[in-house]
Amino acid sequence: MWTVVYMSKDAEDIYALRQALKSIKVISFVKKSAEFFSLLVPSKEISLAHKKIIDMEI
């Protein structure tokens, strides 16, 4: 199951975070809604994704 771990109106933030997750081998994808970009990861990768978000201080 895929889970949203981050949302932003700024595409740059989302794609920078996606690249950072890719560097630690966490699969992710971006979904765009009307106003927001959402970054999703597999449920089993949530912990790693959250640690990376905290490390990046976004």
Side-chain angles (χ1 to χ4, degrees), residues 11-47:
E12 272 186 40
D13 286 348
I14 290 289
Y15 287 105
L17 181 53
R18 186 171 188 214
Q19 281 301 111
L21 292 176
K22 186 177 180 180
S23 74
I24 60 170
K25 299 184 177 20
V26 173
I27 299 167
S28 64
F29 80 91
V30 175
K31 183 178 179 183
K32 183 169 181 349
S33 64
E35 295 182 34
F36 292 94
F37 293 90
S38 300
L39 184 68
L40 295 92
V41 299
S43 296
K44 66 181 182 178
E45 304 285 355
I46 291 172
S47 180

